[in-house]
Amino acid sequence: MQLPLILKGFNVFADGLNKYGVLMDIKRPKIAYKTEDYTPGGGLGEMTVIHGIEKLEIELTSKGYDAELFKSMSHQISGNLLRYQGALHKEDETGTGELVGEARGRIIEADPGEDKAGEGGEHKFKYALTYWKETLDGETIAEIDILNNKFIIGGRDVRAGIRKALGLI
């Protein structure tokens, strides 16, 4: 039987600030293709054509009021740098894997949530990304660079041919 890699802990560095102990939650980017349904004339059935990807977003949740992240809101499209690191472990192995993510973008939403007496509250931040890369034990799993039209997944740059045809390589 195969056992899953379980996240045993994580840390986030936001613009170089160590957020260990404050960050409660991170929602990593969802990768979804932008598609169009197409039925060729005289064709048997419908096909799905891929045109690119949907917007990449990361969401962070801090315990309490996070003035550091709030003050870091940038108007530059790649004005914020995030790095997250997680410890992954399989229960039938002795070693610990390292999941590392790097992201660039800007905060597009800061939600201080609801204040209640006697409760610490939460501060949520949503980033729209222009760059995202995730590695597992040093091996690149995915890298997406919107500004440079790169999409590398499993070691294959699926946009290289398009960049070449456009004279960008």
Side-chain angles (χ1 to χ4, degrees):
M1 174 172 77
Q2 186 175 358
L3 294 176
L5 278 170
I6 303 293
L7 182 67
K8 298 291 182 155
F10 73 95
N11 192 16
V12 174
F13 297 86
D15 293 319
L17 297 170
N18 186 340
K19 304 303 287 180
Y20 186 72
V22 177
L23 248 310
M24 298 173 25
D25 183 47
I26 181 170
K27 183 176 178 185
R28 298 185 346 258
K30 176 175 112 176
I31 299 175
Y33 288 117
K34 277 190 182 244
T35 63
E36 173 187 9
D37 293 331
Y38 165 70
T39 304
L44 176 62
E46 192 171 74
M47 297 180 282
T48 301
V49 178
I50 296 172
H51 291 293
I53 61 170
E54 299 287 343
K55 180 170 59 169
L56 294 175
E57 295 180 335
I58 277 185
E59 295 181 30
L60 303 178
T61 304
S62 293
K63 183 67 177 171
Y65 183 81
D66 196 329
E68 291 174 330
L69 282 183
F70 201 20
K71 290 189 297 185
S72 76
M73 288 184 79
S74 174
H75 290 288
Q76 295 177 339
I77 196 162
S78 295
N80 295 108
L81 172 65
L82 293 174
R83 189 175 93 237
Y84 56 89
Q85 295 178 214
L88 297 172
H89 181 251
K90 279 188 178 184
E91 292 298 319
D92 62 343
E93 295 181 1
T94 57
T96 302
E98 185 177 82
L99 178 70
V100 176
E102 301 169 32
R104 281 205 160 279
R106 63 178 157 199
I107 297 172
I108 59 169
E109 187 176 303
D111 179 1
E114 187 176 325
D115 295 319
K116 291 183 182 179
E119 293 185 14
E122 296 178 350
H123 210 156
K124 296 183 180 201
F125 299 89
K126 183 186 290 187
Y127 293 76
L129 303 180
T130 58
Y131 178 83
W132 175 66
K133 178 179 180 180
E134 196 163 85
T135 61
L136 178 59
D137 294 330
E139 177 189 351
T140 299
I141 303 300
E143 182 175 10
I144 300 172
D145 187 339
I146 302 294
L147 299 176
N148 291 305
N149 203 7
K150 286 186 183 178
F151 181 20
I152 300 168
I153 188 94
R156 184 170 169 259
D157 186 348
V158 298
R159 301 288 290 186
I162 293 170
R163 287 194 318 277
K164 185 174 186 231
L166 297 173
L168 301 175
I169 295 181

